[in-house]
Amino acid sequence: MNLVNECPDIPDGWKGGVGKVAEVLGLSRITISRAADKGKRNGGIDWIPGRNGRRMFTGKEVKRFWRSY
């Protein structure tokens, strides 16, 4: 899979899990999980804890990650 060419058209307050983010960005779930493991400081993507300890990503962070990827 390749990263989509245009910035995702999602609101800043949008929240989604690894699968939704992978779908929006056109990347695999494994790539998103690895970027989340890196964290924002190391060139990855920042996440917030969701239900049952799952990783949730905001629209603002998804767009920031898209610009830096």
Side-chain angles (χ1 to χ4, degrees), residues 25-45:
L25 292 178
L27 298 172
S28 70
R29 294 174 59 138
I30 294 171
T31 303
I32 300 298
S33 294
R34 287 180 183 162
D37 289 340
K38 284 183 178 179
K40 184 177 181 178
R41 290 185 180 183
N42 297 320
I45 187 169

Side-chain angles (χ1 to χ4, degrees), residues 3-68:
L3 186 68
V4 293
N5 292 330
E6 295 183 11
C7 185
D9 186 27
I10 53 176
D12 288 345
W14 177 87
K15 291 182 183 176
V18 174
K20 289 289 184 182
V21 173
E23 185 179 315
V24 167
L25 292 178
L27 298 172
S28 70
R29 294 174 59 138
I30 294 171
T31 303
I32 300 298
S33 294
R34 287 180 183 162
D37 289 340
K38 284 183 178 179
K40 184 177 181 178
R41 290 185 180 183
N42 297 320
I45 187 169
D46 198 20
W47 57 276
I48 55 175
R51 291 185 182 179
N52 299 327
R54 294 184 178 166
R55 296 174 179 171
M56 298 296 290
F57 305 92
T58 62
K60 185 175 181 179
E61 183 62 19
V62 170
K63 291 182 213 176
R64 186 208 57 84
F65 180 70
W66 179 85
R67 286 189 297 271
S68 69

